[in-house]
Amino acid sequence: MLPDGKMYPLVTRPSNRSGIKTLPVVIIGNGPSGICLSYLLSGYTPYFKRHALHPNPILQRKLEEAPEVSVLDQDLEYLSEGLEGRSHSPVALLFDTLQRPDTDFGGTAESVLTWWHEPDRAIPHLVLGRNAPGGAWHSIEGSMVTLSRGEWMGLPDLPFKEWLKQKRRGLRNNRATAEDIAQYYQHYVMKKGLQKNFRCGTVVTSVRKVSAESISSHTQKDLQEASDSLWNSNERSAEVFQVDGFFKTVEGDKEPFSIYAENVVLATGTYDNPTWLGVKGENLSYVHHQLSALEEAVKNNSVGIMTDPVLIVGAGLTAADAILFAHHCNIPVIHVFRRRVTDPGLIFNQLPKTMYPEYHKVHQMMKEQTAACAGPYEHYISLPEHHVLSFGKDKKCIFQDKNGCQKAYKISMALVLTGSNPNLSFLPNDGIDLALDSDQPVNPKRNPIDVDPFTYECTQEKGLYALGPLAGDNFVRFVQGGALAVASSLLKKANKNPP
């Protein structure tokens, strides 16, 4: 989509660099993290609501100390000290408890925040994303139900439940469909007037530091002017980020662009790179790594009740979604996973049965319907503590159990659903140097990007920030605290904090 005259332009290549200015901030990724940060950088400012009462008396006392000062301008470390909850990030817990004061205890207390739009505090920025606003939520099958409670999917100052009521629908078992979530995020961007900052259909191919002096003298003059008008001169760097990529035009062409930015925020999530098993034959055409392949096969009638079974590998929620989908369509399934069914680390052993009845059903199937012991569930076989050895060209798959015994099954297609990793190929060394363990790839659960807990700035690269799963925040309700931390840090750099 080509930007119109009202929007910040993308600089296309090849170009005469003489007219290039730097943007203060470029955000890569337009999911909930990117949307929330864009909201905060657009001048929307949170304050403690007068006469509000927070159930945490210590936090209440701290908030009453300076009610006229925005939360963005306060000491986030001081405010978040001592808070406990379902996140390891202190600022994520702070922002979540301000928006949903007692939600983990089943309470329905209102947010203690009030939002003011202060346009003079806005920081110019661009949000780059492959899909429409909402990011990976547009890639998930629309009828899938969220793991989190529906109200936890909402963004600041527009409760998800209220939006759903306007559509004359309610939450199913307190949870929402992926289609509703994707539509809500698109609506949020329009409703809050953020669309001028968003560039959809863009793919970033490279982010690297370049010397400000390497840009031509005329450009350097423009860069200097932009810095003077936006940034505290003490913070100005001799280096800027060059963000290269392309955007897809309506005609399907790829138009290259370059943007120069003082700060770059990584908010790409982890949906891009499905994990591979690394076994022989995994690149054969009948082996897939995304649930959408099963939906496509059902539409094409290439799998069904009379075909060979579909193999599903994995014991997470995506694998469970695939099993539920296949079960609904009467498609026979062989389900292979490495763990014991009773393993406490298995996600099903951590979910309340009443809130997640369908996942509890899958767990029951895994326990009761093994190859060795027939159970009540037709068209399903569970193979716990097995792993795949190879996929054959004849669609025969060989498994091995914990004792080293091997089995072979003929299948119609395979779905390897064992998680996903972020695609950071646009960063030097795939971003590995930024991770907590710089010898291993970035992984949202085991090896996130190493960030300062109160600014989310990368410890290894100043001016580069990471949000959401990349920084270890894996739930929408908690990614918003990261956005608060980044916005607070950028406002300080821009010298846009009130005296």
Side-chain angles (χ1 to χ4, degrees):
M1 183 181 75
L2 287 168
D4 63 39
K6 296 179 184 174
M7 301 180 175
Y8 307 123
L10 294 176
V11 181
T12 56
R13 285 196 315 254
S15 68
N16 174 356
R17 287 185 165 183
S18 63
I20 301 172
K21 282 190 178 182
T22 56
L23 263 172
V25 186
V26 167
I27 302 166
I28 303 172
N30 65 358
S33 301
I35 295 171
C36 187
L37 181 55
S38 177
Y39 178 70
L40 292 166
L41 295 183
S42 297
Y44 289 95
T45 310
Y47 290 86
F48 177 52
K49 199 187 292 178
R50 297 282 174 144
H51 311 302
L53 199 59
H54 197 283
N56 182 323
I58 298 171
L59 181 58
Q60 174 74 18
R61 195 173 68 247
K62 289 178 181 178
L63 292 166
E64 286 173 345
E65 287 171 9
E68 72 290 345
V69 179
S70 161
V71 175
L72 279 169
D73 304 319
Q74 295 198 36
D75 183 339
L76 298 181
E77 185 171 0
Y78 171 65
L79 287 180
S80 59
E81 189 180 16
L83 294 178
E84 294 179 353
R86 300 184 186 182
S87 170
H88 298 299
S89 162
V91 186
L93 289 173
L94 170 66
F95 201 40
D96 185 62
T97 194
L98 293 174
Q99 293 194 96
R100 307 171 188 87
D102 55 359
T103 189
D104 280 335
F105 303 102
T108 55
E110 280 188 17
S111 168
V112 297
L113 296 178
T114 183
W115 292 86
W116 291 84
H117 191 208
E118 300 173 344
D120 58 316
R121 301 193 69 195
I123 296 178
H125 62 280
L126 272 180
V127 185
L128 308 178
R130 293 170 181 254
N131 301 311
W137 286 97
H138 293 281
S139 308
I140 301 169
E141 204 279 317
S143 63
M144 292 298 173
V145 180
T146 59
L147 173 63
S148 295
R149 295 169 70 96
E151 61 261 36
W152 292 349
M153 308 305 291
L155 296 177
D157 203 32
L158 183 63
F160 178 74
K161 258 187 176 173
E162 281 183 23
W163 174 81
L164 208 56
K165 268 184 199 163
Q166 289 168 7
K167 293 178 69 83
R168 307 193 173 204
R169 285 217 299 287
L171 294 169
R172 185 174 124 203
N173 201 23
N174 280 325
R175 289 150 69 209
T177 66
E179 182 181 16
D180 280 337
I181 297 296
Q183 286 182 12
Y184 164 79
Y185 291 143
Q186 277 189 279
H187 173 80
Y188 187 93
V189 168
M190 297 298 289
K191 175 87 173 168
K192 300 297 183 184
L194 310 179
Q195 63 272 24
K196 68 179 184 298
N197 303 311
F198 280 70
R199 286 304 165 282
C200 303
T202 57
V203 177
V204 172
T205 55
S206 168
V207 174
R208 61 195 175 95
K209 275 262 181 88
V210 294
S211 164
E213 291 176 6
S214 70
I215 304 173
S216 69
S217 58
H218 188 173
T219 304
Q220 182 59 32
K221 179 173 175 287
D222 284 339
L223 176 61
Q224 192 75 28
E225 286 170 5
S227 297
D228 286 343
S229 63
L230 289 165
W231 299 100
N232 181 338
S233 58
N234 296 329
E235 293 284 352
R236 198 181 305 137
S237 171
E239 292 184 308
V240 295
F241 291 96
Q242 180 175 325
V243 181
D244 295 328
F246 61 85
F247 53 87
K248 299 168 204 161
T249 65
V250 179
E251 297 79 24
D253 297 326
K254 292 179 180 178
E255 291 281 350
F257 67 80
S258 287
I259 316 169
Y260 295 89
E262 291 275 354
N263 300 273
V264 169
V265 183
L266 305 173
T268 52
T270 61
Y271 203 68
D272 289 326
N273 261 2
T275 308
W276 282 48
L277 301 172
V279 301
K280 185 182 173 188
E282 194 171 1
N283 57 349
L284 291 167
S285 60
Y286 70 90
V287 183
H288 304 271
H289 296 81
Q290 288 183 316
L291 176 55
S292 54
L294 180 58
E295 296 152 17
E296 200 60 38
V298 169
K299 278 182 199 164
N300 299 338
N301 293 317
S302 54
V303 293
I305 192 167
M306 302 305 290
T307 61
D308 287 325
V310 169
L311 170 66
I312 296 172
V313 184
L317 297 178
T318 308
D321 286 336
I323 290 161
L324 289 165
F325 185 74
H327 193 62
H328 177 72
C329 299
N330 291 317
I331 295 165
V333 166
I334 297 170
H335 182 199
V336 172
F337 48 100
R338 286 175 172 268
R339 295 179 187 245
R340 288 176 292 115
V341 182
T342 53
D343 188 326
L346 207 65
I347 185 69
F348 306 104
N349 291 316
Q350 302 167 26
L351 298 175
K353 293 177 187 176
T354 51
M355 193 168 165
Y356 303 98
E358 74 278 39
Y359 290 140
H360 177 60
K361 179 181 179 180
V362 171
H363 196 206
Q364 288 289 109
M365 291 164 72
M366 290 162 68
K367 281 192 276 195
E368 296 177 14
Q369 189 93 6
T370 61
C373 150
Y377 304 101
E378 279 190 281
H379 313 307
Y380 173 87
I381 294 173
S382 157
L383 296 175
E385 297 182 270
H386 281 64
H387 63 273
V388 177
L389 285 182
S390 66
F391 297 101
K393 289 180 181 173
D394 55 359
K395 293 194 176 180
K396 271 193 183 159
C397 182
I398 299 173
F399 312 115
Q400 184 170 296
D401 69 13
K402 61 179 180 179
N403 302 316
C405 296
Q406 295 183 10
K407 304 180 175 95
Y409 283 89
K410 184 90 162 37
I411 60 173
S412 58
M413 69 183 292
L415 292 166
V416 178
L417 303 172
T418 53
S420 59
N421 289 305
N423 178 2
L424 298 175
S425 59
F426 55 86
L427 292 174
N429 198 23
D430 291 333
I432 290 174
D433 303 330
L434 303 173
L436 278 170
D437 178 354
S438 56
D439 292 326
Q440 298 292 325
V442 174
N443 180 282
K445 290 178 179 162
R446 293 183 295 277
N447 194 32
I449 290 176
D450 188 10
V451 297
D452 180 291
F454 301 103
T455 65
Y456 279 62
E457 191 168 19
C458 298
T459 56
Q460 303 300 326
E461 185 68 84
K462 295 304 164 197
L464 190 65
Y465 294 79
L467 274 182
L470 294 178
D473 294 333
N474 290 298
F475 291 98
V476 170
R477 62 184 283 204
F478 294 126
V479 305
Q480 299 170 55
L484 180 80
V486 174
S488 175
S489 171
L490 291 171
L491 281 163
K492 286 184 178 73
K493 283 188 184 182
N495 202 18
K496 290 203 172 200
N497 295 84

